[in-house]
Amino acid sequence: MELTVKLQVFEGPLDLLLYLLEKNKVNIYDIPIVEITEQYMEYIREMKRQDLEVLSEFLVMAATLVDIKSRMLLPSNPDSEEEEEDPRAELVQQLLEYKMYKCMAYELKDRQMDAGRVMYKKPTIPEEVRAYEPPVDIHELISDITLSRLHEIFESIMKKQQDKIDPLRSKFGKIEKEEVSLEDKMEDLKKYAAGHRHFSFRGLLTAQSSKVEVIVTFLAILELMKMGTIRISQEHIFDDIQIDSKVAA
């Protein structure tokens, strides 16, 4: 009765060599070429009976192993001053590169399998957020004005405040003044807007007594614009900006 032997499938001759080295637990840098060649040839003999299509590249490696084996069996020349190169060196380099790429392939395969188990949730927006509408359209509020124009007016007002400084009195001691809060200035502006339906942006800033008040007033105007309490407009470029109050008198 004929005995059928099922051979392990290898991806190439280097894969088979690497398997034989690991099976025999030998150092890849010190390959026992005689033993490994005999095991390799035994595998080739079994392949001849089963799969002739992939045999050619394995035969090439078999010839390489036999060549290395024959060179290692030759006696070394004792009179040679040059250090003889190990016949296995090139094969060892090929095995090391193959092993590195094989490990990388396993790593990529593991990552692919891990990625296949990851589930992603489609983005959803709560109905409360979807239904929200801002109370004031900011673009409508500043449709006829630009931030650069506001900046120019602000800079000119700050320059006037600087010009008001007395060069002599400014060297005297300072009397600390209570800081002006943004909330208080917003309340003051609401009261002012309730009694003045239309007033000048420049005039409002010019009326402030210090740089701090100018800055806080400017910020308060921007906040009230966002809240929809006031609206600013400008008929022509370089004209003064007008503020329209929406506060009930």
Side-chain angles (χ1 to χ4, degrees):
M1 182 177 179
E2 183 180 356
L3 178 63
T4 303
V5 179
K6 182 175 177 59
L7 296 179
Q8 183 175 345
V9 178
F10 297 98
E11 297 179 1
L14 289 175
D15 197 29
L16 172 57
L17 274 179
L18 199 61
Y19 165 76
L20 293 176
L21 293 176
E22 293 175 352
K23 177 183 176 183
N24 290 275
K25 299 180 180 179
V26 296
N27 188 351
I28 196 171
Y29 293 99
D30 188 20
I31 300 175
I33 199 69
V34 176
E35 181 181 352
I36 294 299
T37 302
E38 291 176 357
Q39 295 181 19
Y40 187 92
M41 296 304 297
E42 180 64 28
Y43 184 87
I44 293 296
R45 284 191 286 271
E46 292 295 332
M47 286 184 64
K48 287 181 180 179
R49 304 171 190 168
Q50 298 191 25
D51 193 349
L52 295 177
E53 293 183 1
V54 297
L55 185 61
S56 58
E57 56 180 325
F58 284 87
L59 287 175
V60 173
M61 179 58 71
T64 303
L65 289 173
V66 172
D67 177 66
I68 296 174
K69 177 181 177 181
S70 62
R71 284 190 288 163
M72 292 189 68
L73 292 175
L74 291 174
S76 59
N77 185 4
D79 298 331
S80 177
E81 296 181 357
E82 296 182 0
E83 183 179 355
E84 294 184 2
E85 182 181 358
D86 191 337
R88 302 169 294 179
E90 185 177 351
L91 179 60
V92 169
Q93 184 62 32
Q94 292 179 4
L95 284 169
L96 289 173
E97 291 180 358
Y98 177 78
K99 186 174 183 180
M100 179 185 67
Y101 289 123
K102 190 173 182 179
C103 292
M104 292 173 61
Y106 285 147
E107 178 67 22
L108 291 175
K109 186 177 180 180
D110 291 341
R111 293 192 180 189
Q112 182 183 16
M113 294 178 63
D114 292 339
R117 293 193 289 265
V118 177
M119 304 296 291
Y120 295 94
K121 177 182 177 297
K122 293 183 178 180
T124 55
I125 302 177
E127 290 299 325
E128 295 80 1
V129 177
R130 191 189 302 274
Y132 174 78
E133 294 183 0
V136 179
D137 188 351
I138 302 298
H139 298 287
E140 181 182 353
L141 283 176
I142 59 174
S143 59
D144 53 354
I145 195 65
T146 62
L147 289 177
S148 60
R149 180 59 184 150
L150 286 172
H151 179 70
E152 289 176 5
I153 297 175
F154 179 76
E155 288 292 331
S156 64
I157 298 299
M158 293 299 292
K159 187 177 184 305
K160 288 184 178 181
Q161 291 291 333
Q162 185 70 27
D163 293 340
K164 291 180 180 180
I165 298 177
D166 190 325
L168 295 177
R169 295 182 179 179
S170 61
K171 297 179 181 180
F172 298 163
K174 294 182 178 179
I175 300 176
E176 295 295 333
K177 188 177 181 180
E178 184 180 356
E179 295 184 0
V180 181
S181 68
L182 180 60
E183 292 77 11
D184 292 341
K185 182 57 68 174
M186 288 174 64
E187 289 298 323
D188 293 342
L189 285 178
K190 286 180 182 179
K191 294 177 183 178
Y192 185 82
H196 302 79
R197 307 308 301 170
H198 307 283
F199 51 95
S200 166
F201 177 76
R202 182 187 296 274
L204 184 64
L205 293 184
T206 306
Q208 306 307 311
S209 59
S210 67
K211 287 184 180 181
V212 176
E213 279 201 89
V214 170
I215 295 173
V216 176
T217 302
F218 182 78
L219 295 176
I221 291 174
L222 295 178
E223 289 295 325
L224 292 178
M225 285 173 57
K226 288 195 296 183
M227 294 169 58
T229 305
I230 60 175
R231 183 178 184 278
I232 64 174
S233 60
Q234 185 182 41
E235 293 186 3
H236 302 94
I237 299 177
F238 303 121
D239 284 356
D240 188 15
I241 295 175
Q242 298 299 316
I243 301 177
D244 299 327
S245 171
K246 294 185 178 182
V247 182

